[in-house]
Amino acid sequence: MNRAPAVADMFYPGNPAMLRQKVSDFITASHRSDLSPKALIAPHAGYLYSGPIAASAYTHLQNLNHPINTVVLIGPTHRIYVDGLAASSSDFFETPLGKVPVDQQANVRLMDRFDFIHHNDAAHQPEHCLEVQLPFLQILLKNFKIVPLLFGDSSTRQVGDVLEALWDETTTLIVISSDLSHYHDYTSARLIDKNTTQAIEEYNSEAINGEMACGHTAICGCLKFAKRHHLQVHTVDLRNSGDTQGDKHRVVGYGAYLFT
């Protein structure tokens, strides 16, 4: 069973050649330092708005000197209520660039261990927050599987427990999908997003709430995980839709962060 694209031709180009070119252009245009991420936070809006910021994180995957076998994708559900975390029973997540296999063995291990994880394909089918991450991964990685998880009514501890259960320091990449503040004016958004970024840089998970980031539960769970494993956090981009598309009256914030 395949999970078909839900937002192709809406959030990103549905034509494979156009999509590959768009993502490649974003990556080429982004600044790349010498950082090699073990985890990252990237936004999930339409590529027109957040694509350049997401590329600021993903371009650093070119620095990895070892293969990534598994990508753990965690993001918020926007349409369907989820109690705990939602796994997918699909064998593949499909984009215009092809099919990405789902690690069902990892799902089985998670559901055997944690009673807050369940298959919920209804939540995954319309959801964009994980789908928009896949083309970046497809272009930059090879032969990887994904563990796609959506959180709803869940806790930072649950997210942290999942990360601990799936973590392999050399072959696993963690991707947290989240935008920052929503629908403030440009100046207000910049202040809120600056405060959120400071909290991320200080591993201050108690200071981040849902008004600051829609993926705050996953972000905070990742921060606690990163602190336990002595991962260093780096902000590599911080902009909003007013920077990428010009309308500064009602913007959405986007940040790109790496954990090394």
Side-chain angles (χ1 to χ4, degrees):
M1 184 172 69
N2 295 340
R3 188 270 184 190
V7 294
D9 281 324
M10 290 186 287
F11 279 57
Y12 59 82
N15 177 279
M18 292 177 61
L19 175 57
R20 182 172 292 277
Q21 187 63 56
K22 175 65 72 175
V23 173
S24 296
D25 287 347
F26 284 147
I27 292 169
T28 299
S30 61
H31 171 72
R32 187 172 116 208
S33 67
D34 59 357
L35 298 172
S36 297
K38 301 180 183 297
L40 62 87
I41 302 171
H44 55 232
Y47 283 8
L48 188 67
Y49 302 98
S50 68
I53 296 86
S56 296
Y58 281 112
T59 188
H60 291 84
L61 298 185
Q62 298 174 96
N63 294 342
L64 298 177
N65 57 11
H66 54 79
I68 295 295
N69 296 333
T70 305
V71 179
V72 181
L73 285 162
I74 305 182
T77 179
H78 289 81
R79 297 176 180 271
I80 305 295
Y81 174 78
V82 168
D83 182 13
L85 276 78
S88 171
S89 65
S90 295
D91 296 313
F92 298 92
F93 269 41
E94 190 171 1
T95 80
L97 299 182
K99 298 176 182 178
V100 181
V102 175
D103 189 342
Q104 288 298 346
Q105 291 184 341
N107 278 342
V108 169
R109 294 198 306 271
L110 289 175
M111 287 186 283
D112 284 346
R113 183 170 176 180
F114 303 117
D115 61 5
F116 56 82
I117 300 178
H118 309 278
H119 281 137
N120 189 335
D121 294 319
H124 279 279
Q125 195 285 321
E127 182 55 54
H128 65 273
C129 75
L130 305 186
E131 179 180 331
V132 299
Q133 312 295 343
L134 293 178
F136 287 96
L137 295 166
Q138 287 173 293
I139 286 175
L140 291 167
L141 300 180
K142 298 178 180 179
N143 302 321
F144 65 97
K145 294 182 179 181
I146 58 172
V147 184
L149 297 166
L150 297 172
F151 70 84
D153 187 1
S154 51
S155 68
T156 59
R157 180 175 180 176
Q158 289 172 341
V159 172
D161 286 346
V162 167
L163 296 181
E164 291 288 353
L166 295 175
W167 177 243
D168 181 290
E169 187 173 349
T170 57
T171 64
T172 301
L173 175 71
I174 295 167
V175 173
I176 304 298
S177 179
S178 181
D179 295 337
L180 300 181
S181 64
H182 283 58
Y183 309 133
H184 299 279
D185 65 84
Y186 183 83
T187 301
S188 299
R190 280 174 57 89
L191 178 59
I192 295 169
D193 296 341
K194 180 180 178 181
N195 290 337
T196 304
T197 296
Q198 181 177 348
I200 291 173
E201 292 174 343
E202 295 175 353
Y203 305 89
N204 186 2
S205 57
E206 304 302 321
I208 303 172
N209 58 44
E211 296 298 315
M212 301 166 77
C214 58
H216 70 286
T217 300
I219 290 174
C220 294
C222 185
L223 288 176
K224 291 180 179 181
F225 169 85
K227 190 172 183 178
R228 282 195 300 271
H229 288 271
H230 307 290
L231 302 182
Q232 300 298 309
V233 61
H234 310 266
T235 302
V236 292
D237 206 346
L238 182 62
R239 286 182 273 174
N240 62 50
S241 57
D243 298 308
T244 54
Q245 281 304 299
D247 181 359
K248 291 180 167 55
H249 299 292
R250 196 166 180 260
V251 307
V252 177
Y254 311 120
Y257 310 90
L258 304 180
F259 296 86
T260 62

